[in-house]
Structures are given as C-alpha cells and as structure tokens.
Amino acid sequence: MAGTQPWIDDPFAEAIRAGRGPLWLRRSDGGRIRLEVERWCAPAAGADHDLLRRCVGLGTPVLDLGCGPGRLVAELLALGVPAMGVDVTLAAVDRTHGLGGPALCRSVFDRLPAEGRWGAVLLADGNLGIGGDPDALLHRVLQLLAPGGRLLVEVEPLPVDEQVTVRVEGPAGRCGPPFPWARLGADATAHRAARTGLTERERWTSHGRCFLTLARDHGPGHGRGRAR
C-alpha cells in the first residue's frame, strides 16, 4: 500500500463505494474497532434523529466535518436546515452528492467556506478522532464557529482519552497506511474543550451512543484556543 493515503484510496474508500464492510480500525497494539459502514451508508436512524432534532432547534446552517456518505447532511436538508459536508474521501463526497447534499472533498484543516460564521458544527461517528490531536481539532472547530455557535460532538460511551496509531483494515486483513487517531469520552472531551474556549451545554445518550453540545463563548477574549 505504499503511496496510499488513509481514508482516500485504502479499504475505507472501497467500503464506502460498496456501501458495506466489514471494516475495522486496527490499532498498533493489535486490537481493532469495528467501523459501522452499513449504518453510515443507510438513511439517518436511531440516535441520529435526536442529534438532528437539536440541529433543527438551533435554526442555523450546519457544517458536518467528516460527513462520510452524507446521511446527516441529506436528512438536515430534508428537514429544511441548510447543511454542507466535508470529507477527505472522494467516494464519500460522491455519495453525499448523490443524495443531493453539498460537500467538499478536503481536510477539515484546509480553508473552508464561511469560517467563523457557522452556527453549528457536527463531529459524529467518531470524527473527534480526526488528525489524532483532539486539542487541534477543537481549536479548528472554534475557528469555524460564529460567536455563540454550537459544536455537537459524538463521544465514546466509556471514560477514555487516548491518542493511538491505527490502520483501516478490510476483508482478508488488507490494511491501509498507519495514521494517528484519537478516542475521547464525555468528561475528557468537555475538559479539553473548556481549555480551548468551548463550554459544555448538554450531554445526552441515545440508542447506546453518547453526545455533547459545546458552545463557543460570545465575549471578547474567549475562544482563542492555542495557536497553531
């Protein structure tokens, strides 16, 4: 797999094109985490609806970071909420477009439209792990949000705070290249977010999945985070 990039031309992209797994994140210690490709490629269901209901209640456009095949973007649009997805995997962006949703194929750390003016940002389906540096990712979200904007983030159901090296593993043990990833529970996420300038407003559990709502402060001098 020399020369490949994780999530772009490894087994993840192939699974997204097919709409099914099996697929895992293989950790450097030998453990692995099942990726729910079939759920991501299906219409919004279960805990998604509680998450989306909160987005509707905010009454603001939503930016879905790591949108995958676009089920949340598509459902938000169906509910009358302007939304856009961002993902590094072209296969995922193509599927989002196929559902009628706008999406950009780029990193969340690249320049994005309307920076500092989004009323809501989503990090669902484990996407708090993007880049393997939660502090950097939360600071990036802060740059994207308008004052008073909300981050709705899915967290691990267990109390964990780890940064690991993983590979995407497909059938027959075929793996993509290694890359950094992170996994955080609710307390660890709230603690890191507070240091960045995001204040916890709500935490909830639905269908076995756990979420936080975090707010960017309005006041001057808040939310500056650490420099990059």
Side-chain angles (χ1 to χ4, degrees):
M1 295 293 291
T4 63
Q5 299 181 61
W7 308 112
I8 297 175
D9 50 4
D10 67 3
F12 178 76
E14 296 174 7
I16 290 297
R17 282 190 287 268
R20 63 183 183 276
L23 204 67
W24 299 269
L25 285 183
R26 171 70 74 174
R27 299 164 54 109
S28 56
D29 62 10
R32 64 182 188 178
I33 302 163
R34 182 72 177 253
L35 298 177
E36 299 181 77
V37 178
E38 291 84 0
R39 178 171 68 80
W40 299 340
C41 290
D48 293 337
H49 293 303
D50 287 322
L51 176 63
L52 295 167
R53 177 171 54 82
R54 286 166 169 82
C55 292
V56 173
L58 293 173
T60 183
V62 178
L63 180 65
D64 186 3
L65 300 180
C67 66
R71 77 185 190 287
L72 299 179
V73 171
E75 186 64 19
L76 284 167
L77 294 173
L79 293 169
V81 178
M84 185 181 78
V86 178
D87 205 288
V88 295
T89 306
L90 181 58
V93 171
D94 286 344
R95 285 191 71 120
T96 304
H97 290 164
L99 295 175
L104 296 176
C105 189
R106 64 184 66 171
S107 166
V108 302
F109 295 103
D110 291 339
R111 186 72 182 173
L112 296 175
E115 295 205 7
R117 290 183 284 145
W118 289 96
V121 169
L122 289 182
L123 281 172
D125 303 325
N127 284 326
L128 185 57
I130 289 173
D133 184 343
D135 294 326
L137 182 58
L138 290 167
H139 177 66
R140 178 62 178 136
V141 169
L142 200 74
Q143 294 175 326
L144 296 168
L145 284 173
R150 297 293 194 267
L151 167 63
L152 293 91
V153 56
E154 185 169 357
V155 298
E156 296 294 325
L158 298 175
V160 61
D161 185 351
E162 64 176 7
Q163 294 166 263
V164 295
T165 298
V166 297
R167 295 172 180 260
V168 177
E169 179 181 336
R174 177 171 173 263
C175 290
F179 60 96
W181 196 248
R183 298 173 66 241
L184 277 73
D187 287 343
T189 301
H191 177 69
R192 288 178 179 269
R195 293 192 322 222
T196 305
L198 294 164
T199 303
E200 181 179 349
R201 292 287 187 252
E202 182 187 13
R203 64 175 69 184
W204 77 96
T205 300
S206 176
H207 296 76
R209 295 166 61 193
C210 301
F211 302 86
L212 293 178
T213 299
L214 304 165
R216 178 183 167 182
D217 296 318
H218 281 89
H222 288 91
R224 290 175 181 167
R226 62 180 179 87
R228 278 179 57 81

